[in-house]
Amino acid sequence: ARLTRTLAAVYEGEGKVDLASETLQEVAVETYGSMEKAEKAEFLLEQIRLTLKQRDFIRMGILATKVNRKVLKEAGFESKRHRFFRLLLELHGQLRDARELANDYEAIAETALAEAARSGAPRDEVDEATRTWKDALARQVLFAAMSKYTDELSVTFHALLRSKPLEE
């Protein structure tokens, strides 16, 4: 799996994005299932990124379901979580799915909030994280407002109204 990923990077460097994506897609789940969580997440993110470059949104959606979102919530996975939801923004934007866009922005805001609250981070990183979560929160509200009304959406709005970050 590692060698295949390296080969895919070479193909992509040569401008052969389709071949790079196909090469990476050939690796069976069982092959990278034994990898450490961080490496496995990185491998899946790379597969998703390449399918996005191909504009293969159907395959991208399928690959996105393979990502374990519980793992992305673990400490140390903030950058991977942020990257994953940035990729999903592209997918859900293409599908014009306002509710999923709101969910993606919610995850980005939560991740940025965690980064901003991290003690010992340099001031410029905290400022950037603060800008990110404020922007993501505003977009979450916008896309939630554009979504078709459901009971789940009502719960989301009530939670947003009680949230301290929205107050800020």
Side-chain angles (χ1 to χ4, degrees), residues 12-82:
E12 186 180 13
E14 294 173 349
K16 301 173 184 174
V17 176
D18 290 341
L19 186 57
S21 183
E22 288 172 27
T23 301
L24 216 53
Q25 303 306 320
E26 289 175 4
V27 178
V29 173
E30 296 79 24
T31 305
Y32 59 84
S34 62
M35 291 178 171
E36 294 293 322
K37 287 190 271 188
E39 189 176 17
K40 183 177 179 178
E42 195 61 45
F43 191 89
L44 286 166
L45 288 173
E46 189 62 16
Q47 284 183 321
I48 293 168
R49 186 188 67 79
L50 284 172
T51 56
L52 173 61
K53 266 187 125 171
Q54 284 184 293
R55 315 261 323 141
D56 185 350
F57 298 107
I58 293 171
R59 183 168 283 141
M60 185 183 174
I62 293 167
L63 287 170
T65 63
K66 294 181 180 182
V67 175
N68 186 341
R69 293 172 193 223
K70 287 180 185 175
V71 169
L72 292 179
K73 288 185 177 182
E74 292 178 10
F77 280 82
E78 291 85 5
S79 65
K80 288 173 182 46
R81 183 171 193 240
H82 188 83

Side-chain angles (χ1 to χ4, degrees), residues 44-46 48-49 52 60 82-92 104:
L44 286 166
L45 288 173
E46 189 62 16
I48 293 168
R49 186 188 67 79
L52 173 61
M60 185 183 174
H82 188 83
R83 188 169 152 214
F84 174 68
F85 284 102
R86 285 284 176 198
L87 289 166
L88 284 185
L89 284 174
E90 296 289 331
L91 173 64
H92 297 135
D104 297 340

